[in-house]
Amino acid sequence: MQRTGRALLAAMTGLMALLVLGHGASRAEGEMSILVGYLERHVPPPPVLSNLEETPDDLGLAGARLAIKDNATTGGFLNQSWTLSPSIVSPQNDFLQAARDLLDRTPYLVVKAPREDLLALADMPEARAAILVNASLPDNDLRGEACRPNLLHTIPSRAMLADALAQFATKKRWTDWVLIGSKSEADMALADSFERAAAKFRLKLRERLSWSFEADMRRNAAAEVPLFLQDAPDHDMLVIADEAHDYGRYVLYNTWLPRPIGGSEGVVPSAWSASVEQHGAAQLQSRFADLTGRDMRSVDYAAWAAIRAVGEAVTRSQSAEGETVRAYMLSDEFELAGFKGRPLTFRRWNGQLRQPIPLTHPRALVAMAPLEGFLHRRNELDTLGLDQAESGCDAFEKER
């Protein structure tokens, strides 16, 4: 009987999936069928010093799959069916053609792709009426002068992460920083964000060092790192800008001075961590582990939040039309329960999802930013990242 019920449910789900039409949703006898696309450019991971932690092959996609299951669970009571259509594009294949194929079927795309692909997609004529959600790129200017009106962001910006660490350091009175960053483009951008955050919260950046070692740190860290830091000025906190989480691991416990470490190692600000357990997060962590056999990571969480945000907007607006759903997502009525203790909302001036930032180490949550005492005239979550006056985004003018 149980098998028969499951077979019947699978058959019904398949039938409803066939009803998905060009605008991403259709109705049949009062039922609404919604298709969400997941579009990823496969990028081989760069070489790193250690292979202890491999990047999951389904990073991001796993979060999208869990969100579709969550949407389907809620939608089962509301005559909704939800379907995910993943498209993983290899480096040599046409990313924009894959995007067109999905946009012919739905206006809802969750995107994990390099910057040039993401912007080219957002500028496509076929994507003008789409809702594109960036689930992987933390570039500050995508929320600023390079923003696009059809592009939302559920992954936090580098500025949001850096501001979270700066609030924590301010609260702890670790006011003097030394910053380490490599010469990679991503690390330089992250280091710039930490420098900006230090100035914003009136911390002192005593020195910014450049990591340029070519030696095998697995063998030489104990000798090389203390010498590297020996001449650094006295400081309260050592901040590491290592977006690939590559060399920073070798700095811990090898410093010249006994100082706390934050940033990419030590106390780490992120969208999500396996250490987050409060506000129902343990239940989300458990469901994700049951689905994938691993811990949820930040990009997984961002993809999950993207699809759950669409699901919430469809349910509340009682519409699956892209224009209506987008308007609701950017409205004051929209809220997403994101297992972070506060409702998540979108900034109407640049499409960024407001969200608390957990500061964690591998085994525990240390703090959740924004911290108590950091106030804002509109929303305390806007103390993290680019506020309206400083974003430089004018693509969302009519939403403000």
Side-chain angles (χ1 to χ4, degrees):
M1 184 70 180
Q2 186 177 15
R3 291 182 180 179
T4 302
R6 288 178 178 175
L8 179 60
L9 177 60
M12 291 176 63
T13 301
L15 177 61
M16 287 185 285
L18 293 174
L19 298 173
V20 176
L21 299 178
H23 292 288
S26 65
R27 290 182 180 271
E29 297 182 1
E31 295 179 345
M32 185 186 298
S33 181
I34 305 100
L35 175 71
V36 180
Y38 175 87
L39 180 61
E40 176 180 339
R41 166 77 83 179
H42 175 68
V43 179
V48 294
L49 294 170
S50 173
N51 293 318
L52 286 174
E53 298 178 15
E54 295 184 358
T55 301
D57 292 336
D58 61 351
L59 182 66
L61 179 57
R65 285 174 170 156
L66 179 62
I68 284 291
K69 287 173 65 70
D70 290 349
N71 282 6
T73 298
T74 302
F77 300 98
L78 302 169
N79 289 324
Q80 299 173 0
S81 83
W82 289 83
T83 307
L84 181 70
S85 181
S87 180
I88 313 298
V89 185
S90 62
Q92 65 272 19
N93 286 346
D94 191 337
F95 181 82
L96 296 185
Q97 184 56 52
R100 290 186 187 96
D101 293 343
L102 285 173
L103 289 169
D104 281 343
R105 302 162 62 203
T106 178
Y108 308 117
L109 294 190
V110 179
V111 187
K112 177 190 172 189
R115 176 190 176 91
E116 58 272 17
D117 285 330
L118 180 66
L119 290 177
L121 166 60
D123 291 337
M124 287 172 55
E126 299 92 330
R128 286 176 184 166
I131 299 175
L132 312 175
V133 188
N134 164 35
S136 64
L137 293 182
D139 301 20
N140 293 333
D141 70 331
L142 291 177
R143 289 85 167 160
E145 59 273 12
C147 69
R148 300 293 193 272
N150 55 354
L151 183 58
L152 308 180
H153 311 272
T154 51
I155 195 76
S157 66
R158 293 186 181 101
M160 293 170 68
L161 303 178
D163 286 352
L165 184 67
Q167 287 189 10
F168 176 72
T170 300
K171 200 76 172 179
K172 300 290 288 186
R173 299 185 180 179
W174 297 341
T175 58
D176 288 13
W177 283 8
V178 165
L179 173 62
I180 303 175
S182 79
K183 294 181 179 179
S184 78
E185 185 176 343
D187 288 355
M188 291 177 67
L190 182 57
D192 288 345
S193 293
F194 283 129
E195 188 168 344
R196 171 194 163 278
K200 177 179 177 179
F201 291 95
R202 300 182 181 180
L203 306 172
K204 297 177 183 177
L205 182 58
R206 302 295 301 278
E207 189 169 353
R208 178 168 168 171
L209 303 173
S210 179
W211 181 274
S212 58
F213 290 99
E214 297 181 356
D216 187 347
M217 284 294 108
R218 292 172 294 182
R219 297 184 177 90
N220 299 325
E224 298 285 356
V225 175
L227 291 176
F228 174 62
L229 294 171
Q230 183 174 356
D231 295 329
D234 195 12
H235 52 279
D236 300 313
M237 188 175 194
L238 182 65
V239 178
I240 300 175
D242 174 20
E243 201 157 274
H245 300 281
D246 183 20
Y247 67 85
R249 71 186 73 194
Y250 301 107
V251 178
L252 272 75
Y253 304 106
N254 282 316
T255 57
W256 181 258
L257 297 174
R259 296 292 184 268
I261 291 176
S264 300
E265 299 293 338
V267 178
V268 179
S270 63
W272 194 254
S273 165
S275 302
V276 178
E277 297 179 316
Q278 298 177 342
H279 310 296
Q283 191 260 356
L284 177 65
Q285 304 274 27
S286 177
R287 289 190 293 109
F288 185 85
D290 289 344
L291 180 67
T292 66
R294 64 174 177 84
D295 292 333
M296 178 179 264
R297 301 191 183 189
S298 289
V299 175
D300 296 311
Y301 180 83
W304 174 86
I307 293 177
R308 285 293 298 119
V310 172
E312 185 69 16
V314 167
T315 296
R316 298 297 180 184
S317 67
Q318 299 182 17
S319 171
E321 293 298 323
E323 184 176 351
T324 302
V325 170
R326 180 185 183 277
Y328 189 85
M329 291 172 75
L330 292 172
S331 73
D332 293 336
E333 286 74 33
F334 175 84
E335 289 186 350
L336 176 65
F339 301 98
K340 290 187 176 184
R342 304 186 190 200
L344 314 186
T345 60
F346 283 96
R347 291 174 178 155
R348 298 175 66 180
W349 62 88
N350 65 3
Q352 172 65 56
L353 184 68
R354 294 183 181 95
Q355 57 191 289
I357 300 297
L359 295 121
T360 64
H361 64 73
R363 299 190 64 190
L365 175 71
V366 178
M368 187 74 83
L371 277 72
E372 184 178 357
F374 292 92
L375 306 178
H376 193 277
R377 62 183 177 83
R378 178 177 46 248
N379 187 322
E380 290 177 6
L381 291 172
D382 287 339
T383 62
L384 303 174
L386 301 178
D387 205 355
Q388 183 170 352
E390 58 187 346
S391 77
C393 174
D394 58 8
F396 288 73
E397 285 291 340
K398 67 178 183 178
E399 324 292 344
R400 298 182 182 181

